Amino acid sequence: GSGFQDAKATVTGMTLRTTRGELLRGMLESVALRLKGIYNRLCQMSDDADEVQVYASGETLFASPLWQQILADALEVPIRLDAGAAEASAVGAAVMALRAAGLKAHVTPVTERQVYPRAEGVAAMQMAFERQEALYNRLYRR
């Protein structure tokens, strides 16, 4: 097989002093960095990468300012929290499919609030992304 279906989890850098909170944050950061890889690919596919915006939905995300900030820092763009949207990703996928078919498609979501990336968070996530990509490539792309 190939791709994420065969991917396994790994935790690196853990010591006996690593706390549950640090493990949880590491998992959130890991997911955010995988989303950054997807975001980067979407920007490459876009005619205007500056036009690509990130809208987010979901109860877990809305309930966690930490998760919101980690995503904004990882993606290096503001995260627009879409009020009342059940599935922002499904709407985004539909818009992309329509555009790929040559149709004009646009959605005007109701943004409840935005979370902006912080310079220190972005710098840390950039270094983490490079480490994660290198580890992933060593483990799965031989």
Side-chain angles (χ1 to χ4, degrees):
S2 64
F4 293 110
Q5 297 167 0
D6 296 328
K8 310 269 188 299
T10 183
V11 178
T12 59
M14 190 169 75
T15 70
L16 292 174
R17 292 183 298 221
T18 301
T19 66
R20 287 184 288 180
E22 290 168 333
L23 277 173
L24 176 60
R25 183 182 181 102
M27 287 186 278
L28 292 173
E29 288 178 353
S30 179
V31 170
L33 294 172
R34 286 294 89 211
L35 291 172
K36 177 184 177 64
I38 294 167
Y39 174 78
N40 289 347
R41 288 182 194 95
L42 291 173
C43 287
Q44 291 170 354
M45 293 169 40
S46 174
D47 292 334
D48 183 5
D50 293 331
E51 181 185 288
V52 178
Q53 298 179 355
V54 177
Y55 291 90
S57 62
E59 288 181 38
T60 303
L61 183 62
F62 281 115
S64 177
L66 173 63
W67 183 215
Q68 296 164 15
Q69 191 62 59
I70 288 171
L71 280 174
D73 292 346
L75 299 178
E76 304 177 42
V77 295
I79 303 297
R80 292 162 177 84
L81 299 168
D82 197 355
E87 282 296 330
S89 57
V91 172
V95 168
M96 289 181 63
L98 289 169
R99 288 182 180 175
L103 301 171
K104 291 188 181 220
H106 181 74
V107 175
T108 307
V110 179
T111 300
E112 186 173 302
R113 70 182 186 283
Q114 293 188 64
V115 178
Y116 294 91
R118 298 166 306 141
E120 65 276 8
V122 167
M125 294 302 277
Q126 285 174 338
M127 289 187 301
F129 183 71
E130 291 172 14
R131 287 191 312 269
Q132 188 187 64
E133 285 291 293
L135 177 61
Y136 186 87
N137 288 334
R138 276 197 313 268
L139 292 173
Y140 302 110
R141 293 186 182 145
R142 295 179 188 165

